[in-house]
Amino acid sequence: MNQEPQTLYIPMGVKPEAEWFPGFGKQQLGQSAIGSILAVALALLIWLFKGSVPFAVVTFLSGVAASVMMTTKDRYNLSVLDQLRFMVKFKKSQKHYPYRALPEWDEFPL
């Protein structure tokens, strides 16, 4: 009985959830929906206070595009929003020790 050694097959590029386009799935849709709602609110405020419909429409469309771009994950499974969260978490975790200089030697007048 001559048995061949078995090899382990590790699949590459398998995503844990379905995606509509690369890096954008159900979770990212929810995040970008929140960003789009904020863009709608900002565009509505601009329209109410400035009265400029084209400026409000451009603000709305830019906000929706920015929210989709910020939540789309790259090939390393990180989005801009994730990176911002990591930077804020890192900044909060750092300790700050202020340095106070004390006189080491008494100063003698010459």
Side-chain angles (χ1 to χ4, degrees), residues 30-74:
Q31 292 171 343
S32 63
I34 293 170
S36 298
I37 290 170
L38 293 175
V40 166
L42 182 63
L44 187 63
L45 288 174
I46 289 173
W47 176 64
L48 288 175
F49 290 117
K50 284 193 128 196
S52 175
V53 174
F55 191 57
V57 170
V58 168
T59 302
F60 166 69
L61 292 175
S62 300
V64 170
S67 67
V68 169
M69 287 178 5
M70 286 183 67
T71 57
T72 302
K73 295 186 179 277
D74 61 0

mmCIF file of all heavy atoms in Angstrom, residues 30-74:
data_model
loop_
_atom_site.group_PDB
_atom_site.id
_atom_site.type_symbol
_atom_site.label_atom_id
_atom_site.label_comp_id
_atom_site.label_asym_id
_atom_site.label_seq_id
_atom_site.Cartn_x
_atom_site.Cartn_y
_atom_site.Cartn_z
ATOM 1 N N GLY A 30 -25.107 49.516 4.219
ATOM 2 C CA GLY A 30 -25.687 50.181 5.387
ATOM 3 C C GLY A 30 -24.888 51.397 5.807
ATOM 4 O O GLY A 30 -25.448 52.449 6.139
ATOM 5 N N GLN A 31 -23.557 51.265 5.799
ATOM 6 C CA GLN A 31 -22.706 52.398 6.174
ATOM 7 C C GLN A 31 -22.838 53.549 5.183
ATOM 8 O O GLN A 31 -22.917 54.714 5.574
ATOM 9 C CB GLN A 31 -21.243 51.954 6.253
ATOM 10 C CG GLN A 31 -20.954 51.008 7.389
ATOM 11 C CD GLN A 31 -19.553 50.427 7.313
ATOM 12 O OE1 GLN A 31 -18.896 50.470 6.273
ATOM 13 N NE2 GLN A 31 -19.093 49.865 8.412
ATOM 14 N N SER A 32 -22.882 53.222 3.899
ATOM 15 C CA SER A 32 -23.002 54.293 2.910
ATOM 16 C C SER A 32 -24.412 54.890 2.913
ATOM 17 O O SER A 32 -24.580 56.060 2.557
ATOM 18 C CB SER A 32 -22.631 53.797 1.518
ATOM 19 O OG SER A 32 -23.523 52.794 1.103
ATOM 20 N N ALA A 33 -25.417 54.128 3.335
ATOM 21 C CA ALA A 33 -26.767 54.685 3.465
ATOM 22 C C ALA A 33 -26.802 55.749 4.560
ATOM 23 O O ALA A 33 -27.451 56.795 4.401
ATOM 24 C CB ALA A 33 -27.766 53.575 3.760
ATOM 25 N N ILE A 34 -26.093 55.503 5.660
ATOM 26 C CA ILE A 34 -26.014 56.507 6.725
ATOM 27 C C ILE A 34 -25.315 57.764 6.212
ATOM 28 O O ILE A 34 -25.757 58.892 6.458
ATOM 29 C CB ILE A 34 -25.299 55.928 7.955
ATOM 30 C CG1 ILE A 34 -26.158 54.833 8.580
ATOM 31 C CG2 ILE A 34 -24.989 57.011 8.973
ATOM 32 C CD1 ILE A 34 -25.446 54.034 9.653
ATOM 33 N N GLY A 35 -24.225 57.582 5.473
ATOM 34 C CA GLY A 35 -23.534 58.728 4.886
ATOM 35 C C GLY A 35 -24.394 59.471 3.883
ATOM 36 O O GLY A 35 -24.355 60.700 3.802
ATOM 37 N N SER A 36 -25.212 58.739 3.127
ATOM 38 C CA SER A 36 -26.098 59.374 2.155
ATOM 39 C C SER A 36 -27.194 60.174 2.849
ATOM 40 O O SER A 36 -27.583 61.244 2.371
ATOM 41 C CB SER A 36 -26.724 58.316 1.245
ATOM 42 O OG SER A 36 -25.714 57.646 0.528
ATOM 43 N N ILE A 37 -27.681 59.669 3.982
ATOM 44 C CA ILE A 37 -28.691 60.413 4.744
ATOM 45 C C ILE A 37 -28.101 61.720 5.268
ATOM 46 O O ILE A 37 -28.760 62.770 5.233
ATOM 47 C CB ILE A 37 -29.250 59.538 5.890
ATOM 48 C CG1 ILE A 37 -30.100 58.407 5.301
ATOM 49 C CG2 ILE A 37 -30.053 60.351 6.883
ATOM 50 C CD1 ILE A 37 -30.509 57.356 6.293
ATOM 51 N N LEU A 38 -26.851 61.660 5.715
ATOM 52 C CA LEU A 38 -26.191 62.896 6.146
ATOM 53 C C LEU A 38 -26.008 63.859 4.973
ATOM 54 O O LEU A 38 -26.142 65.081 5.135
ATOM 55 C CB LEU A 38 -24.843 62.573 6.784
ATOM 56 C CG LEU A 38 -24.897 61.812 8.109
ATOM 57 C CD1 LEU A 38 -23.492 61.441 8.563
ATOM 58 C CD2 LEU A 38 -25.597 62.634 9.159
ATOM 59 N N ALA A 39 -25.719 63.334 3.785
ATOM 60 C CA ALA A 39 -25.576 64.177 2.597
ATOM 61 C C ALA A 39 -26.909 64.815 2.223
ATOM 62 O O ALA A 39 -26.951 65.988 1.818
ATOM 63 C CB ALA A 39 -25.029 63.358 1.428
ATOM 64 N N VAL A 40 -28.000 64.079 2.367
ATOM 65 C CA VAL A 40 -29.329 64.631 2.099
ATOM 66 C C VAL A 40 -29.620 65.767 3.071
ATOM 67 O O VAL A 40 -30.121 66.833 2.677
ATOM 68 C CB VAL A 40 -30.418 63.532 2.198
ATOM 69 C CG1 VAL A 40 -31.803 64.132 2.257
ATOM 70 C CG2 VAL A 40 -30.313 62.575 1.033
ATOM 71 N N ALA A 41 -29.305 65.564 4.358
ATOM 72 C CA ALA A 41 -29.555 66.600 5.357
ATOM 73 C C ALA A 41 -28.733 67.854 5.057
ATOM 74 O O ALA A 41 -29.255 68.979 5.145
ATOM 75 C CB ALA A 41 -29.233 66.067 6.749
ATOM 76 N N LEU A 42 -27.474 67.686 4.692
ATOM 77 C CA LEU A 42 -26.623 68.833 4.371
ATOM 78 C C LEU A 42 -27.128 69.560 3.124
ATOM 79 O O LEU A 42 -27.187 70.791 3.092
ATOM 80 C CB LEU A 42 -25.178 68.373 4.185
ATOM 81 C CG LEU A 42 -24.152 69.459 3.896
ATOM 82 C CD1 LEU A 42 -24.073 70.428 5.073
ATOM 83 C CD2 LEU A 42 -22.799 68.840 3.616
ATOM 84 N N ALA A 43 -27.529 68.798 2.103
ATOM 85 C CA ALA A 43 -28.052 69.413 0.877
ATOM 86 C C ALA A 43 -29.354 70.148 1.152
ATOM 87 O O ALA A 43 -29.594 71.231 0.599
ATOM 88 C CB ALA A 43 -28.254 68.347 -0.197
ATOM 89 N N LEU A 44 -30.181 69.597 2.023
ATOM 90 C CA LEU A 44 -31.438 70.259 2.377
ATOM 91 C C LEU A 44 -31.175 71.574 3.108
ATOM 92 O O LEU A 44 -31.827 72.585 2.838
ATOM 93 C CB LEU A 44 -32.285 69.319 3.238
ATOM 94 C CG LEU A 44 -33.696 69.773 3.567
ATOM 95 C CD1 LEU A 44 -34.516 69.886 2.284
ATOM 96 C CD2 LEU A 44 -34.356 68.811 4.527
ATOM 97 N N LEU A 45 -30.208 71.563 4.024
ATOM 98 C CA LEU A 45 -29.850 72.805 4.725
ATOM 99 C C LEU A 45 -29.305 73.855 3.763
ATOM 100 O O LEU A 45 -29.623 75.043 3.872
ATOM 101 C CB LEU A 45 -28.838 72.513 5.827
ATOM 102 C CG LEU A 45 -29.367 71.778 7.051
ATOM 103 C CD1 LEU A 45 -28.221 71.421 7.994
ATOM 104 C CD2 LEU A 45 -30.411 72.608 7.759
ATOM 105 N N ILE A 46 -28.481 73.424 2.825
ATOM 106 C CA ILE A 46 -27.940 74.360 1.831
ATOM 107 C C ILE A 46 -29.060 74.940 0.984
ATOM 108 O O ILE A 46 -29.103 76.145 0.708
ATOM 109 C CB ILE A 46 -26.865 73.661 0.967
ATOM 110 C CG1 ILE A 46 -25.619 73.414 1.800
ATOM 111 C CG2 ILE A 46 -26.540 74.478 -0.277
ATOM 112 C CD1 ILE A 46 -24.580 72.583 1.106
ATOM 113 N N TRP A 47 -30.008 74.099 0.601
ATOM 114 C CA TRP A 47 -31.121 74.566 -0.225
ATOM 115 C C TRP A 47 -32.010 75.541 0.544
ATOM 116 O O TRP A 47 -32.459 76.556 0.004
ATOM 117 C CB TRP A 47 -31.928 73.372 -0.717
ATOM 118 C CG TRP A 47 -33.135 73.768 -1.495
ATOM 119 C CD1 TRP A 47 -33.172 74.437 -2.679
ATOM 120 C CD2 TRP A 47 -34.481 73.548 -1.123
ATOM 121 N NE1 TRP A 47 -34.455 74.626 -3.082
ATOM 122 C CE2 TRP A 47 -35.293 74.084 -2.140
ATOM 123 C CE3 TRP A 47 -35.090 72.927 -0.041
ATOM 124 C CZ2 TRP A 47 -36.685 74.024 -2.099
ATOM 125 C CZ3 TRP A 47 -36.469 72.867 -0.011
ATOM 126 C CH2 TRP A 47 -37.243 73.409 -1.015
ATOM 127 N N LEU A 48 -32.236 75.256 1.841
ATOM 128 C CA LEU A 48 -33.099 76.131 2.634
ATOM 129 C C LEU A 48 -32.442 77.486 2.910
ATOM 130 O O LEU A 48 -33.107 78.525 2.848
ATOM 131 C CB LEU A 48 -33.466 75.455 3.957
ATOM 132 C CG LEU A 48 -34.458 74.301 3.867
ATOM 133 C CD1 LEU A 48 -34.632 73.642 5.229
ATOM 134 C CD2 LEU A 48 -35.791 74.784 3.334
ATOM 135 N N PHE A 49 -31.167 77.500 3.243
ATOM 136 C CA PHE A 49 -30.514 78.745 3.631
ATOM 137 C C PHE A 49 -29.938 79.541 2.461
ATOM 138 O O PHE A 49 -29.927 80.765 2.490
ATOM 139 C CB PHE A 49 -29.426 78.477 4.676
ATOM 140 C CG PHE A 49 -29.990 78.067 6.000
ATOM 141 C CD1 PHE A 49 -29.713 76.810 6.515
ATOM 142 C CD2 PHE A 49 -30.806 78.915 6.716
ATOM 143 C CE1 PHE A 49 -30.235 76.421 7.737
ATOM 144 C CE2 PHE A 49 -31.336 78.532 7.941
ATOM 145 C CZ PHE A 49 -31.058 77.280 8.455
ATOM 146 N N LYS A 50 -29.453 78.856 1.434
ATOM 147 C CA LYS A 50 -28.876 79.575 0.287
ATOM 148 C C LYS A 50 -29.870 79.710 -0.858
ATOM 149 O O LYS A 50 -29.738 80.604 -1.680
ATOM 150 C CB LYS A 50 -27.620 78.865 -0.216
ATOM 151 C CG LYS A 50 -26.409 79.084 0.645
ATOM 152 C CD LYS A 50 -25.190 78.636 -0.092
ATOM 153 C CE LYS A 50 -24.237 79.784 -0.029
ATOM 154 N NZ LYS A 50 -23.163 79.776 -0.917
ATOM 155 N N GLY A 51 -30.792 78.778 -0.971
ATOM 156 C CA GLY A 51 -31.761 78.812 -2.056
ATOM 157 C C GLY A 51 -31.193 78.368 -3.385
ATOM 158 O O GLY A 51 -31.812 78.555 -4.426
ATOM 159 N N SER A 52 -30.033 77.756 -3.377
ATOM 160 C CA SER A 52 -29.374 77.341 -4.609
ATOM 161 C C SER A 52 -29.609 75.852 -4.845
ATOM 162 O O SER A 52 -29.038 75.008 -4.165
ATOM 163 C CB SER A 52 -27.875 77.625 -4.516
ATOM 164 O OG SER A 52 -27.220 77.121 -5.643
ATOM 165 N N VAL A 53 -30.460 75.542 -5.810
ATOM 166 C CA VAL A 53 -30.760 74.144 -6.110
ATOM 167 C C VAL A 53 -29.558 73.429 -6.726
ATOM 168 O O VAL A 53 -29.239 72.304 -6.318
ATOM 169 C CB VAL A 53 -32.007 74.040 -7.022
ATOM 170 C CG1 VAL A 53 -32.247 72.610 -7.457
ATOM 171 C CG2 VAL A 53 -33.227 74.590 -6.306
ATOM 172 N N PRO A 54 -28.849 74.020 -7.700
ATOM 173 C CA PRO A 54 -27.698 73.300 -8.268
ATOM 174 C C PRO A 54 -26.617 72.984 -7.231
ATOM 175 O O PRO A 54 -26.050 71.893 -7.230
ATOM 176 C CB PRO A 54 -27.156 74.248 -9.337
ATOM 177 C CG PRO A 54 -28.291 75.119 -9.693
ATOM 178 C CD PRO A 54 -29.112 75.252 -8.448
ATOM 179 N N PHE A 55 -26.354 73.929 -6.324
ATOM 180 C CA PHE A 55 -25.345 73.697 -5.291
ATOM 181 C C PHE A 55 -25.795 72.578 -4.347
ATOM 182 O O PHE A 55 -24.989 71.744 -3.930
ATOM 183 C CB PHE A 55 -25.081 74.998 -4.534
ATOM 184 C CG PHE A 55 -23.886 74.941 -3.645
ATOM 185 C CD1 PHE A 55 -22.632 74.623 -4.145
ATOM 186 C CD2 PHE A 55 -24.004 75.207 -2.295
ATOM 187 C CE1 PHE A 55 -21.524 74.567 -3.322
ATOM 188 C CE2 PHE A 55 -22.902 75.154 -1.455
ATOM 189 C CZ PHE A 55 -21.663 74.831 -1.975
ATOM 190 N N ALA A 56 -27.082 72.538 -4.026
ATOM 191 C CA ALA A 56 -27.614 71.487 -3.161
ATOM 192 C C ALA A 56 -27.538 70.124 -3.847
ATOM 193 O O ALA A 56 -27.190 69.117 -3.215
ATOM 194 C CB ALA A 56 -29.052 71.802 -2.765
ATOM 195 N N VAL A 57 -27.832 70.069 -5.139
ATOM 196 C CA VAL A 57 -27.777 68.801 -5.872
ATOM 197 C C VAL A 57 -26.340 68.299 -5.976
ATOM 198 O O VAL A 57 -26.073 67.099 -5.783
ATOM 199 C CB VAL A 57 -28.412 68.958 -7.277
ATOM 200 C CG1 VAL A 57 -28.147 67.734 -8.133
ATOM 201 C CG2 VAL A 57 -29.903 69.190 -7.151
ATOM 202 N N VAL A 58 -25.414 69.199 -6.251
ATOM 203 C CA VAL A 58 -24.004 68.803 -6.338
ATOM 204 C C VAL A 58 -23.510 68.322 -4.976
ATOM 205 O O VAL A 58 -22.776 67.332 -4.879
ATOM 206 C CB VAL A 58 -23.136 69.969 -6.871
ATOM 207 C CG1 VAL A 58 -21.658 69.691 -6.693
ATOM 208 C CG2 VAL A 58 -23.459 70.215 -8.328
ATOM 209 N N THR A 59 -23.940 68.982 -3.897
ATOM 210 C CA THR A 59 -23.572 68.550 -2.546
ATOM 211 C C THR A 59 -24.124 67.163 -2.257
ATOM 212 O O THR A 59 -23.424 66.301 -1.706
ATOM 213 C CB THR A 59 -24.093 69.556 -1.501
ATOM 214 O OG1 THR A 59 -23.548 70.832 -1.786
ATOM 215 C CG2 THR A 59 -23.725 69.133 -0.103
ATOM 216 N N PHE A 60 -25.365 66.920 -2.626
ATOM 217 C CA PHE A 60 -25.977 65.606 -2.409
ATOM 218 C C PHE A 60 -25.240 64.517 -3.182
ATOM 219 O O PHE A 60 -24.879 63.477 -2.616
ATOM 220 C CB PHE A 60 -27.454 65.632 -2.811
ATOM 221 C CG PHE A 60 -28.054 64.273 -2.943
ATOM 222 C CD1 PHE A 60 -28.254 63.473 -1.826
ATOM 223 C CD2 PHE A 60 -28.403 63.764 -4.179
ATOM 224 C CE1 PHE A 60 -28.798 62.208 -1.941
ATOM 225 C CE2 PHE A 60 -28.949 62.513 -4.305
ATOM 226 C CZ PHE A 60 -29.149 61.722 -3.190
ATOM 227 N N LEU A 61 -24.993 64.748 -4.465
ATOM 228 C CA LEU A 61 -24.329 63.732 -5.283
ATOM 229 C C LEU A 61 -22.892 63.492 -4.822
ATOM 230 O O LEU A 61 -22.417 62.352 -4.805
ATOM 231 C CB LEU A 61 -24.361 64.137 -6.756
ATOM 232 C CG LEU A 61 -25.752 64.142 -7.408
ATOM 233 C CD1 LEU A 61 -25.665 64.668 -8.829
ATOM 234 C CD2 LEU A 61 -26.372 62.768 -7.372
ATOM 235 N N SER A 62 -22.196 64.560 -4.440
ATOM 236 C CA SER A 62 -20.830 64.401 -3.926
ATOM 237 C C SER A 62 -20.824 63.634 -2.612
ATOM 238 O O SER A 62 -19.936 62.811 -2.370
ATOM 239 C CB SER A 62 -20.181 65.771 -3.714
ATOM 240 O OG SER A 62 -20.126 66.476 -4.917
ATOM 241 N N GLY A 63 -21.800 63.889 -1.754
ATOM 242 C CA GLY A 63 -21.889 63.180 -0.478
ATOM 243 C C GLY A 63 -22.154 61.699 -0.655
ATOM 244 O O GLY A 63 -21.566 60.861 0.034
ATOM 245 N N VAL A 64 -23.043 61.354 -1.580
ATOM 246 C CA VAL A 64 -23.330 59.934 -1.843
ATOM 247 C C VAL A 64 -22.098 59.246 -2.415
ATOM 248 O O VAL A 64 -21.727 58.147 -1.981
ATOM 249 C CB VAL A 64 -24.541 59.795 -2.798
ATOM 250 C CG1 VAL A 64 -24.697 58.366 -3.259
ATOM 251 C CG2 VAL A 64 -25.807 60.277 -2.117
ATOM 252 N N ALA A 65 -21.435 59.882 -3.376
ATOM 253 C CA ALA A 65 -20.235 59.283 -3.965
ATOM 254 C C ALA A 65 -19.133 59.134 -2.925
ATOM 255 O O ALA A 65 -18.448 58.101 -2.879
ATOM 256 C CB ALA A 65 -19.746 60.139 -5.130
ATOM 257 N N ALA A 66 -18.967 60.138 -2.075
ATOM 258 C CA ALA A 66 -17.933 60.061 -1.036
ATOM 259 C C ALA A 66 -18.241 58.969 -0.026
ATOM 260 O O ALA A 66 -17.336 58.256 0.417
ATOM 261 C CB ALA A 66 -17.803 61.406 -0.332
ATOM 262 N N SER A 67 -19.508 58.800 0.343
ATOM 263 C CA SER A 67 -19.846 57.748 1.313
ATOM 264 C C SER A 67 -19.614 56.360 0.729
ATOM 265 O O SER A 67 -19.161 55.459 1.442
ATOM 266 C CB SER A 67 -21.287 57.903 1.795
ATOM 267 O OG SER A 67 -22.197 57.655 0.749
ATOM 268 N N VAL A 68 -19.879 56.170 -0.550
ATOM 269 C CA VAL A 68 -19.609 54.872 -1.178
ATOM 270 C C VAL A 68 -18.107 54.641 -1.272
ATOM 271 O O VAL A 68 -17.609 53.544 -0.966
ATOM 272 C CB VAL A 68 -20.275 54.786 -2.573
ATOM 273 C CG1 VAL A 68 -19.791 53.562 -3.332
ATOM 274 C CG2 VAL A 68 -21.784 54.753 -2.439
ATOM 275 N N MET A 69 -17.351 55.664 -1.643
ATOM 276 C CA MET A 69 -15.899 55.506 -1.767
ATOM 277 C C MET A 69 -15.238 55.263 -0.415
ATOM 278 O O MET A 69 -14.272 54.515 -0.327
ATOM 279 C CB MET A 69 -15.282 56.738 -2.435
ATOM 280 C CG MET A 69 -15.578 56.811 -3.904
ATOM 281 S SD MET A 69 -14.953 58.231 -4.826
ATOM 282 C CE MET A 69 -13.979 59.141 -3.723
ATOM 283 N N MET A 70 -15.757 55.889 0.634
ATOM 284 C CA MET A 70 -15.139 55.731 1.958
ATOM 285 C C MET A 70 -15.441 54.376 2.582
ATOM 286 O O MET A 70 -14.704 53.927 3.456
ATOM 287 C CB MET A 70 -15.607 56.837 2.898
ATOM 288 C CG MET A 70 -14.987 58.175 2.596
ATOM 289 S SD MET A 70 -15.482 59.439 3.754
ATOM 290 C CE MET A 70 -14.699 58.868 5.241
ATOM 291 N N THR A 71 -16.517 53.719 2.168
ATOM 292 C CA THR A 71 -16.875 52.437 2.778
ATOM 293 C C THR A 71 -16.451 51.234 1.943
ATOM 294 O O THR A 71 -16.495 50.109 2.437
ATOM 295 C CB THR A 71 -18.393 52.358 3.025
ATOM 296 O OG1 THR A 71 -19.084 52.558 1.797
ATOM 297 C CG2 THR A 71 -18.828 53.397 4.031
ATOM 298 N N THR A 72 -16.034 51.439 0.705
ATOM 299 C CA THR A 72 -15.606 50.329 -0.138
ATOM 300 C C THR A 72 -14.253 49.811 0.333
ATOM 301 O O THR A 72 -13.317 50.587 0.528
ATOM 302 C CB THR A 72 -15.516 50.773 -1.609
ATOM 303 O OG1 THR A 72 -16.798 51.252 -2.014
ATOM 304 C CG2 THR A 72 -15.109 49.623 -2.505
ATOM 305 N N LYS A 73 -14.150 48.502 0.514
ATOM 306 C CA LYS A 73 -12.913 47.892 1.011
ATOM 307 C C LYS A 73 -11.961 47.611 -0.152
ATOM 308 O O LYS A 73 -12.386 47.279 -1.249
ATOM 309 C CB LYS A 73 -13.224 46.604 1.763
ATOM 310 C CG LYS A 73 -14.027 46.868 3.032
ATOM 311 C CD LYS A 73 -14.200 45.610 3.827
ATOM 312 C CE LYS A 73 -14.975 45.866 5.080
ATOM 313 N NZ LYS A 73 -14.205 46.359 6.174
ATOM 314 N N ASP A 74 -10.665 47.730 0.127
ATOM 315 C CA ASP A 74 -9.663 47.460 -0.894
ATOM 316 C C ASP A 74 -9.253 45.989 -0.845
ATOM 317 O O ASP A 74 -9.871 45.174 -0.172
ATOM 318 C CB ASP A 74 -8.462 48.388 -0.730
ATOM 319 C CG ASP A 74 -7.765 48.225 0.612
ATOM 320 O OD1 ASP A 74 -8.206 47.394 1.426
ATOM 321 O OD2 ASP A 74 -6.776 48.933 0.848
#
